[in-house]
Amino acid sequence: LRGASGCAKHVVSRTISSLSARAVLNGEHRRYKTEKPAPDMTLYPLSQAIHKAKSESPERKFEESIDFAMFLNIDPRKADHQIRTITVLPHGTGKDVKVCVFATDEAQHEQAKEAGAFVVGGAELINEVKNGRLDFDRTVATPKAMPLLSKVARILGPRGLMPNNKLGTVTDDVAGKVKELLGGITLRADKAGNVHALIGTRSFDPGHVQANAMAVVDKVLELRPVGVKEPYIKSCSVSTCPRPSNP
């Protein structure tokens, strides 16, 4: 760099710094290079995969979730290959779910509260959402309340919180739907054809975790699109957050 202008020195030094930083991030620097263990590609029966995921997870200060992932032989770009539904798990998820109910009828307000809804309301609740209230996980709305929700559709929609006819969350049976959501999960295929489901926590009995996983499998099989070639379910894996999955 001798004889180079100050500007040239600055550009070269920045380039060297960038390369050094990239080498550290990629694990290429000798001080930071570590041996990564090869992933376990052994195929296990479901019960053994659950046991392995639970036993290999270290004790933590928080309750780890158990995730069940399925890779499906579908093309989510096709309208008839999209999978999105709600299913009830026989043993729940072990997580507290806050359900918000939008209804205009006072009798339905009481029914929803008795069923365990976290918050219930009509126009006033919609204004609260418009002003930033989003302390809930699921939503239910009656058909009469849906026109009012157009005011907050751009807030709820991107967060997956907009009540939907396809999911059955637009209904007059608010009590029944609240009970279903409190013990159920939403299944949705992503762009790559993967479906992820929370099937319990680390403290769950292995048998309960397996029953929840099978409930998810049954629901996904029930929703199999017409014309999908075998194998419909390419692979499944079980993992505790944030541990590697067990196929």
Side-chain angles (χ1 to χ4, degrees), residues 101-105 107-108 111-112 140-145 168-177:
V101 177
F102 297 100
T104 56
D105 185 77
Q108 290 176 321
Q111 293 170 8
V140 177
T142 61
K144 290 183 179 179
T169 49
V170 179
T171 176
D172 281 318
D173 182 17
V174 291
K177 183 54 65 174

Side-chain angles (χ1 to χ4, degrees), residues 65-79:
S65 301
I66 298 180
D67 181 72
F68 183 59
M70 307 175 70
F71 178 36
L72 307 181
N73 187 23
I74 60 174
D75 184 357
R77 294 174 298 178
K78 298 180 179 179

Side-chain angles (χ1 to χ4, degrees), residues 93-202:
T93 63
K95 298 288 185 179
D96 292 329
V97 179
K98 297 178 180 179
V99 180
C100 171
V101 177
F102 297 100
T104 56
D105 185 77
E106 290 295 330
Q108 290 176 321
H109 287 189
E110 293 303 317
Q111 293 170 8
K113 290 177 182 177
E114 291 177 3
F118 172 67
V119 60
V120 182
E124 291 183 1
L125 178 57
I126 291 173
N127 286 331
E128 290 181 25
V129 172
K130 193 174 181 179
N131 292 328
R133 180 172 186 177
L134 291 167
D135 57 342
F136 44 84
D137 308 304
R138 307 282 175 80
T139 57
V140 177
T142 61
K144 290 183 179 179
M146 282 302 292
L148 301 176
L149 283 174
S150 60
K151 298 178 182 178
V152 292
R154 291 186 178 181
I155 298 174
L156 299 177
R159 294 171 173 82
L161 293 174
M162 190 68 182
N164 188 303
N165 277 312
K166 291 183 178 180
L167 292 176
T169 49
V170 179
T171 176
D172 281 318
D173 182 17
V174 291
K177 183 54 65 174
V178 167
K179 291 178 180 178
E180 179 182 326
L181 292 177
L182 289 175
I185 56 172
T186 300
L187 300 178
R188 180 186 300 172
D190 61 20
K191 294 180 180 179
N194 298 301
V195 175
H196 290 268
L198 171 64
I199 56 173
T201 64
R202 191 171 180 271

Side-chain angles (χ1 to χ4, degrees), residues 3-20:
S5 66
C7 180
K9 288 180 182 179
H10 178 65
V11 172
V12 172
S13 64
R14 281 185 58 186
T15 303
I16 293 173
S17 298
S18 299
L19 290 173
S20 299

Side-chain angles (χ1 to χ4, degrees), residues 46 50 65-69 89 91-94 185 187 196-202 204-206 208-217 237-239:
L46 179 58
I50 292 171
S65 301
I66 298 180
D67 181 72
F68 183 59
L89 301 181
H91 300 287
T93 63
I185 56 172
L187 300 178
H196 290 268
L198 171 64
I199 56 173
T201 64
R202 191 171 180 271
F204 268 41
D205 179 84
H208 292 174
V209 177
Q210 183 168 348
N212 283 347
M214 290 310 301
V216 173
V217 172
S237 63
V238 181
S239 63

